[in-house]
Amino acid sequence: MRIVLGVTGGIAAYKAAHVLRGLREQGHEVRVVPTEAALTFVGRATWEALSGQPVSTTVFDGVEQVEHVRIGHEAELVVIAPATADLLARARAGIADDLLTATLLTATCPVVAAPAMHTQMWENPATVENVAVLRERGWTIIEPAVGRLTGADSGPGRLPEPEDILEAALAAAHAPSAPVQQDTSSAEAGETGPLHGTSVVVSAGGTREPLDPVRFLGNRSSGKQGAALAAAAAAAGADTTLLAANVDSAVLADLPTNVQVDEVSTTAELQAACMAHASTADVIIMAAAVADYRPAQAAEHKMKKSGGGLVLELVENPDILRGLVEARDAGLTRTGQTLVGFAAETGSPETPAHELAQQKLLRKGTDLLVFNDVSGDRAFGQDDNTVVVYRPGDAGAQEVARSTGSKAHVSHDVIRAIIAERTR
Ligand code: CTP
């Protein structure tokens, strides 16, 4: 493909060099169009050397070839990384005061932008409105990552990892009838993906069982992996619902707006929500860490120390996933439903983690099982993850996918494995 890589003036401009390299390694022809401010961060020579093409920031270079029209016309994909608040504002307004914005006005191909800025700028109503309008026009705008920003502050606003930008960009370009710059909301990126018309429900986070009005039994799941799966399903065009069990508010705030969120807390609430969706969901992904036990009785008032120890009586919770499998197999839920379990295992001296996961797949009877190795400090609350996806084969569990990287990257691979399973 002929790709234009727009780079604007942010500290994350250096990451665009990795995006450029990735695109070139896949054989694409890339023309880098930086803004003048971007060159303050990464110089022209770097872009020229890595792209093998001339680099200009202004419409007054190459005038005889009418570059400001030609580059946009010939482009099959425009990727802007990082996209500053200023670029989004200028693009929304149709201002064409440099080569990049002039190119955006003449391009008719898909445009993918990866914004990076401070959280306040990202959340400013002006930026929020600019992003909404550009999305309506068919732009794919990748949600910024959450984390440490340029100063001491942190929050949503980080440029996503280059591999995630690459993946989102190429997905937008390859989506059937990829959205072009039309002024119609039906051009939303997710409406053309491979899961278009498919209803996907993802559970995320960890359930909590109250001991008294202020205390609970819970677990360390942050909900990041489930949220990333919901975002990936929505990006693939699915009508997506996230059943969020005590998921961090920052994680929820970072979700694409087309993911519907239902918040739950206890296992009983999550089970009720799952069952309510089971009759219409084509895919249910149980990424939530479900408390296996709950206190036999939750105290009505705050419990007081009584001196000495405390013995709690716990009763077993229902196995939600097993219940979903049984309901599906009894023909009580959506026909052709795909059920996906998760297994976070540490392994034991007797049995390695992956074997426990394979046994769990067969015991639970799901179509797929995503195994997550959580030995040591891996996975919980971290941004990176490694998973292996199994399906039941003729000779036990059969590996169908393996993925390492950011939770967003891993999620795209898991969604791909689900699509493959549904078309098997
Ligand atoms: N799960 C569920 N209901 C439960 C427990 C787990 O639906 N009461 C789901 C989880 O969401 C996950 C899968 O089952 O998709 C495996 O969860 P896990 O906690 O690893 O397994 P358990 O069923 O608790 O089995 P074990 O205690 O033997 O590890």
Side-chain angles (χ1 to χ4, degrees), residues 203 267 286-292 317-322 340-345 360 363-364:
S203 72
T267 302
M286 285 295 293
V290 183
D292 286 332
N317 269 330
D319 185 327
I320 302 173
L321 188 53
R322 187 68 214 143
V340 183
F342 261 70
E345 302 288 352
K360 192 165 280 178
R363 195 168 71 240
K364 295 264 181 183

Side-chain angles (χ1 to χ4, degrees), residues 46-135:
T46 301
W47 302 122
E48 287 190 338
L50 288 177
S51 68
Q53 300 224 31
V55 166
S56 168
T57 61
T58 152
V59 296
F60 301 111
D61 286 338
V63 176
E64 72 289 354
Q65 294 183 41
V66 204
E67 288 276 67
H68 69 288
V69 176
R70 192 180 60 84
I71 295 174
H73 267 176
E74 289 181 359
E76 291 164 88
L77 173 68
V78 176
V79 182
I80 309 166
T84 55
D86 177 70
L87 180 279
L88 297 174
R90 288 189 296 141
R92 186 259 170 106
I95 291 171
D97 57 357
D98 59 9
L99 186 58
L100 178 56
T101 45
T103 299
L104 290 171
L105 280 188
T106 51
T108 53
C109 60
V111 178
V112 177
M117 63 195 75
H118 284 275
T119 304
Q120 290 84 346
M121 297 172 86
W122 175 245
E123 291 175 350
N124 185 288
T127 308
V128 170
E129 198 183 290
N130 292 334
V131 167
V133 169
L134 291 168
R135 280 183 171 148

Side-chain angles (χ1 to χ4, degrees), residues 19 46 50 71 110 139 145 187 236 239 242 261 264 272 315 339 347 363 419-420 423:
V19 175
T46 301
L50 288 177
I71 295 174
W139 279 35
D239 175 6
L242 183 73
V261 178
V264 295
V315 293
L339 293 170
R363 195 168 71 240
I419 293 168
T423 48

Side-chain angles (χ1 to χ4, degrees), residues 16-33:
H18 296 282
V19 175
L20 169 56
R21 189 180 288 250
L23 291 170
R24 295 277 289 146
E25 276 169 2
Q26 292 179 19
H28 302 293
E29 193 182 299
V30 186
R31 173 82 190 238
V32 181
V33 184

Side-chain angles (χ1 to χ4, degrees), residues 273-354:
C274 285
M275 287 307 181
H277 280 91
S279 55
T280 50
D282 296 300
V283 178
I284 302 181
I285 306 172
M286 285 295 293
V290 183
D292 286 332
Y293 298 94
R294 67 181 185 280
Q297 220 146 26
E300 201 180 324
H301 303 289
K302 188 179 167 196
M303 288 158 67
K304 294 289 174 195
K305 279 200 296 289
S306 58
L310 171 69
V311 177
L312 287 175
E313 190 192 343
L314 302 179
V315 293
E316 200 170 336
N317 269 330
D319 185 327
I320 302 173
L321 188 53
R322 187 68 214 143
L324 288 168
V325 170
E326 282 166 10
R328 195 259 324 256
D329 293 350
L332 301 174
T333 58
R334 179 95 169 172
T335 319
Q337 186 174 72
T338 306
L339 293 170
V340 183
F342 261 70
E345 302 288 352
T346 60
S348 67
E350 302 80 44
T351 321
H354 71 274

